[in-house]
Amino acid sequence: MYWKYIGKLISLTRIFRKQRICLKIERKKTCIAILILVLFLGWLCLNHSYIAVEIRPASVCDQPREMVKDWIFQTDHLKGFKKKWVGFPDLVDIDCHKAFSRNAINEKFPQEVRRTFPEDYLILSRKCQEFRENMGFYRYPAASQEEKEFPLAFVLLIHKDLDQVLFLLRAIYRPHNVYCLSVDTKSSVQFLDAVRSVSRCLANVFVASKLENIVYAGFSRLQADLNCFKDLLDHPVKWKYAINMPGQQFPLRTNLEVVNILKHYNGSNDIEYDIRTVKEDIEWRTSWIHSYLKINKTDRFELVKTNIPHSPVPHGLKVVKGSAYGSFSRKFIAFVLSSPIALDVLEWSQKIYSPDEIFWSTLNYANNLSVPGRSSANSSRQSLLKLYRTSYATWEWSGPCSTKYIRNTCIYATEDLHRLKNRQEFFLNKFDIEHHPTALHCLDQLIYNITFLTAVPRATSGQTYSTGPNTLSSIKHV
């Protein structure tokens, strides 16, 4: 059963032999040190689940010399495992190779992990230096110059499970990026206090200046994102793209991979056009006024459809439905927050169902408007289906899902990993820390390992984001 690992070890040996040429290593002691490192990594492959990624030797020498050198002599990779900065400490002995295999069975992996609650974080974050160290927020190697010159902004909408939120934040955290946390005001006071306390320990993480009482499918969900986007435009970090997400997502791509892909977008937005939406659904969402109804004896509201007709979308735009989540260029966000036309559409959106799935897509695919980074709605059906890359979810009508759906969305478990690991999207939606946490644990291990293997680009099934019939170049951008 070890022949695959032996093959990898041989390939790895060839890599280091090539590096002797690439780096012009002539000293015997250095060569001996490299050989010892190769043998040690081979032992890890045979005995541990730490190296849970494919090592691909092709084109190593084509990488910048500094990247190759950093990869060969990187000593911090295993430090993350030793310090328990990777995955959940409770699951350190889990074999993630088996978790990613087609034969994985949910019941054979742990069903729970030890939780950390807001009151715990209030105590832990009193000493910021210790908090950052113990949580592993600086677990990754130094960012490349390419990443530093292309900073990203992230918006996280959260309301519960702070330990899962910080698990996500750690996975996507880089000191040169910026992160806005939008907390649902229905969350407990202790939860909000803990979020504020944690954010004070991370200079580039902050809580939105204005928070919203989030109502499912209501305008407040969209407004929460806009509040963060406004704060981010005023932030000293001059980010290139902003990506929004809920606290239940998790990355499938490293920061460097996301940067490389978004650079190919060249200012275009990554916003979904759901061409599978039927006309009747659009009419139900937008042709009638929806309003908030307070639930008896609670402070909660729900969105209900009235019998009052709603006005058509302003400026003769075509209503387009898509995802609430996207990768938005800085110029697009500035346009959304200042353009009179965009503000008219925003005001109209206040009375429709789930405006976060309408507002972004309608503006991005408006053929009669000059919208920064917009895409053409006249692109082919096949192109539109393959365009969206920011987030992937498995819907109840599309499947498969190994366990359960909540609000028509699959809650991923360990058995789902083998279907998800090779997808092209940036993020997966969604996970629950109380529902088969091995899935989160092993994805975190995967992202961590790939981040350190910066000299060996991950294969993308022959697909790129700048060329090819099913990729970005087949979409009409303006």
Side-chain angles (χ1 to χ4, degrees):
M1 62 179 292
Y2 294 134
W3 67 270
K4 293 182 179 179
Y5 298 117
I6 294 173
K8 289 182 181 179
L9 182 56
I10 293 173
S11 298
L12 194 59
T13 305
R14 290 172 180 169
I15 292 175
F16 282 97
R17 190 167 60 193
K18 290 181 180 179
Q19 301 322 309
R20 189 177 185 278
I21 298 173
C22 294
L23 300 175
K24 299 181 180 179
I25 297 174
E26 298 177 355
R27 298 177 61 183
K28 292 183 178 180
K29 291 182 179 179
T30 305
C31 293
I32 293 173
I34 291 176
L35 179 60
I36 293 173
L37 178 60
V38 169
L39 294 174
F40 177 64
L41 290 175
W43 176 80
L44 284 175
C45 288
L46 291 173
N47 294 279
H48 295 275
S49 60
Y50 292 163
I51 312 300
V53 296
E54 288 285 336
I55 296 178
R56 300 177 183 274
S59 303
V60 173
C61 290
D62 295 334
Q63 303 299 321
R65 182 176 298 181
E66 291 76 15
M67 292 178 65
V68 177
K69 188 174 181 180
D70 285 347
W71 179 65
I72 294 177
F73 297 105
Q74 183 58 254
T75 60
D76 292 336
H77 181 204
L78 296 182
K79 178 181 178 181
F81 292 99
K82 181 179 179 181
K83 293 282 189 177
K84 298 185 178 180
W85 292 340
V86 185
F88 297 111
D90 296 2
L91 307 186
V92 66
D93 294 324
I94 291 298
D95 187 342
C96 285
H97 290 291
K98 293 182 179 179
F100 279 108
S101 75
R102 288 181 175 273
N103 300 322
I105 299 175
N106 288 328
E107 288 68 26
K108 290 188 176 181
F109 294 90
Q111 306 297 303
E112 60 183 17
V113 292
R114 184 171 62 251
R115 304 293 305 279
T116 307
F117 300 99
E119 54 268 29
D120 301 317
Y121 287 114
L122 281 169
I123 298 173
L124 294 171
S125 57
R126 288 175 182 173
K127 298 180 180 180
C128 285
Q129 185 173 348
E130 290 184 10
F131 174 78
R132 292 190 295 265
E133 169 71 17
N134 294 334
M135 291 291 295
F137 274 100
Y138 296 117
R139 66 181 189 168
Y140 291 123
S144 65
Q145 190 62 31
E146 182 179 10
E147 291 173 278
K148 292 178 180 178
E149 293 174 354
F150 203 92
L152 303 175
F154 293 87
V155 173
L156 276 66
L157 180 60
I158 61 179
H159 69 285
K160 67 171 187 173
D161 297 333
L162 185 54
D163 47 356
Q164 181 175 344
V165 171
L166 295 181
F167 192 83
L168 163 63
L169 181 60
R170 183 182 67 181
I172 62 175
Y173 183 80
R174 299 295 186 284
H176 66 281
N177 290 336
V178 59
Y179 305 83
C180 178
L181 307 180
S182 182
V183 183
D184 189 340
T185 59
K186 293 192 299 297
S187 303
S188 68
V189 174
Q190 197 170 48
F191 181 91
L192 178 57
D193 287 345
V195 173
R196 293 190 188 279
S197 182
V198 167
S199 66
R200 283 192 288 268
C201 289
L202 300 166
N204 55 339
V205 178
F206 66 93
V207 177
S209 60
K210 183 181 179 183
L211 303 179
E212 301 290 332
N213 179 356
I214 307 299
V215 177
Y216 180 76
F219 180 76
S220 56
R221 168 65 187 81
L222 174 59
Q223 186 63 59
D225 279 343
L226 293 170
N227 294 341
C228 264
F229 286 139
K230 184 177 185 302
D231 291 340
L232 287 168
L233 280 179
D234 296 333
H235 196 277
V237 173
K238 301 303 179 184
W239 47 271
K240 306 295 186 181
Y241 275 83
I243 303 174
N244 65 332
M245 68 189 71
Q248 293 81 34
Q249 287 197 4
F250 201 76
L252 193 57
R253 295 275 156 190
T254 69
N255 189 79
L256 179 59
E257 287 178 312
V258 172
V259 165
N260 284 330
I261 294 167
L262 289 178
K263 287 179 72 174
H264 282 304
Y265 273 61
N266 194 29
S268 296
N269 307 306
D270 184 47
I271 299 175
E272 185 183 33
Y273 186 134
D274 189 355
I275 61 176
R276 294 160 292 194
T277 305
V278 296
K279 179 180 178 181
E280 290 75 15
D281 184 39
I282 293 289
E283 291 179 349
W284 184 88
R285 290 169 174 261
T286 64
S287 297
W288 304 93
I289 289 178
H290 290 75
S291 62
Y292 293 135
L293 176 67
K294 187 174 183 179
I295 303 174
N296 292 334
K297 299 180 181 180
T298 71
D299 292 328
R300 296 179 179 270
F301 293 83
E302 63 180 1
L303 196 68
V304 296
K305 173 181 170 293
T306 71
N307 293 323
I308 305 173
H310 191 20
S311 60
V313 62
H315 304 285
L317 301 181
K318 176 185 176 181
V319 177
V320 177
K321 179 183 176 297
S323 173
Y325 312 115
S327 299
F328 311 102
S329 71
R330 187 183 183 92
K331 290 183 178 179
F332 177 76
I333 292 298
F335 169 85
V336 162
L337 294 173
S338 62
S339 164
I341 294 177
L343 295 176
D344 287 344
V345 177
L346 183 64
E347 183 178 1
W348 171 83
S349 299
Q350 294 182 24
K351 298 179 181 180
I352 66 175
Y353 183 87
S354 199
D356 52 344
E357 296 179 348
I358 299 290
F359 179 71
W360 306 114
S361 300
T362 296
L363 288 175
N364 189 64
Y365 292 94
N367 288 337
N368 57 337
L369 290 182
S370 180
V371 178
R374 76 173 178 87
S375 305
S376 173
N378 295 327
S379 301
S380 70
R381 177 183 177 89
Q382 188 71 7
S383 296
L384 290 171
L385 280 171
K386 290 183 175 294
L387 169 63
Y388 181 60
R389 290 291 180 240
T390 299
S391 178
Y392 175 77
T394 301
W395 301 100
E396 193 163 5
W397 48 84
S398 61
C401 178
S402 69
T403 53
K404 65 179 181 179
Y405 296 88
I406 294 180
R407 298 190 190 277
N408 300 321
T409 305
C410 178
I411 309 301
Y412 292 127
T414 310
E415 286 182 30
D416 298 304
L417 291 180
H418 79 275
R419 294 190 299 270
L420 301 172
K421 63 181 179 181
N422 292 322
R423 293 205 60 87
Q424 306 295 310
E425 287 81 6
F426 303 164
F427 292 88
L428 297 172
N429 186 32
K430 63 178 78 179
F431 298 88
D432 187 333
I433 193 172
E434 294 184 340
H435 182 75
H436 300 282
T438 298
L440 280 171
H441 172 82
C442 290
L443 278 174
D444 191 49
Q445 186 180 115
L446 179 69
I447 285 295
Y448 179 79
N449 288 335
I450 293 174
T451 298
F452 274 88
L453 297 179
T454 52
V456 188
R458 185 162 31 157
T460 55
S461 303
Q463 196 175 49
T464 69
Y465 293 83
S466 58
T467 59
N470 297 330
T471 58
L472 189 63
S473 63
S474 61
I475 309 300
K476 300 177 182 177
H477 295 285
V478 179

